[in-house]
Structure formats: C-alpha cells, structure tokens
C-alpha cells in the first residue's frame, strides 16, 4: 500500500504533506488537493481539527491526481476549516 497525505490550513495552504503537489481553496469550505500520482482507485479519509464532518471526499472530476473535499457545520453552512487528508492507494 502507498500512503499519501497532507495537513491543510483553512485558507487552502499545505502545511505538511507526503506526495501532495498542490492545494486550492475553491470556495468557502470547498477544497481540491492534488497528488503526485493517480488517486482515483484509492481510499480517502478527511478529518478536521474541530470535528466538523466532511460531506464530500471524492476523486476530483477531470483530474486523476486530485481529491475534492467539502466541509459544512451543523447548520449546513459551508465552512473554511483546517484538516488532514489521508489517501491510501494500492501499489
């Protein structure tokens, strides 16, 4: 298994990573992370610093190396949040 991951600030900047080549905050609570390899057949796990639940963690449409993540609070409002993303891939 190959392990990739990143710690992302609420503004979309990468603070530490293994295999991540870029990150982008697309909108409030909406992020794209790009890795050095195809991650479409991988398993994703996103965890926020303050326990907000990601509502989407999925392959990024149109980018085989990308992951799309969205966070919202308990009222359904999209929120900017610091989080970890771990990607587990077959070798």
């Amino acid at each position: 298994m190959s392990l990739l991951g990143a710690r992302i600030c609420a503004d979309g900047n990468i603070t530490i990573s293994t295999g991540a080549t870029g990150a982008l905050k697309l909108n409030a609570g909406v992020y794209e992370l790009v890795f050095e390899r195809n991650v479409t057949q991988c398993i994703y796990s996103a965890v926020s610093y303050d326990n907000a639940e990601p509502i989407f963690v999925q392959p990024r449409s149109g980018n085989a190396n990308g992951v799309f993540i969205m966070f919202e609070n308990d009222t359904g409002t999209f929120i900017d949040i610091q989080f970890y993303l771990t990607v587990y891939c077959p070798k």
Side-chain angles (χ1 to χ4, degrees):
M1 175 177 19
S2 177
L3 182 63
L4 307 169
R7 182 172 64 198
I8 307 300
C9 293
D11 64 5
N13 287 315
I14 297 172
T15 58
I16 191 168
S17 75
T18 300
T21 60
L24 182 62
K25 179 182 150 193
L26 302 171
N27 209 334
V30 181
Y31 301 88
E32 175 184 37
L33 273 71
V34 178
F35 291 90
E36 62 191 9
R37 62 169 281 182
N38 183 322
V39 294
T40 57
Q41 299 301 311
C42 300
I43 299 168
Y44 317 109
S45 176
V47 178
S48 73
Y49 275 31
D50 69 356
N51 296 323
E53 295 294 325
I55 59 167
F56 288 111
V57 181
Q58 61 192 29
R60 181 69 167 138
S61 178
N63 184 351
N65 293 14
V67 179
F68 181 76
I69 303 133
M70 295 172 65
F71 285 92
E72 69 179 15
N73 64 16
D74 56 359
T75 66
T77 302
F78 291 109
I79 55 170
D80 296 339
I81 196 160
Q82 191 171 16
F83 65 96
Y84 293 102
L85 176 67
T86 307
V87 181
Y88 305 89
C89 300
K91 289 211 174 219

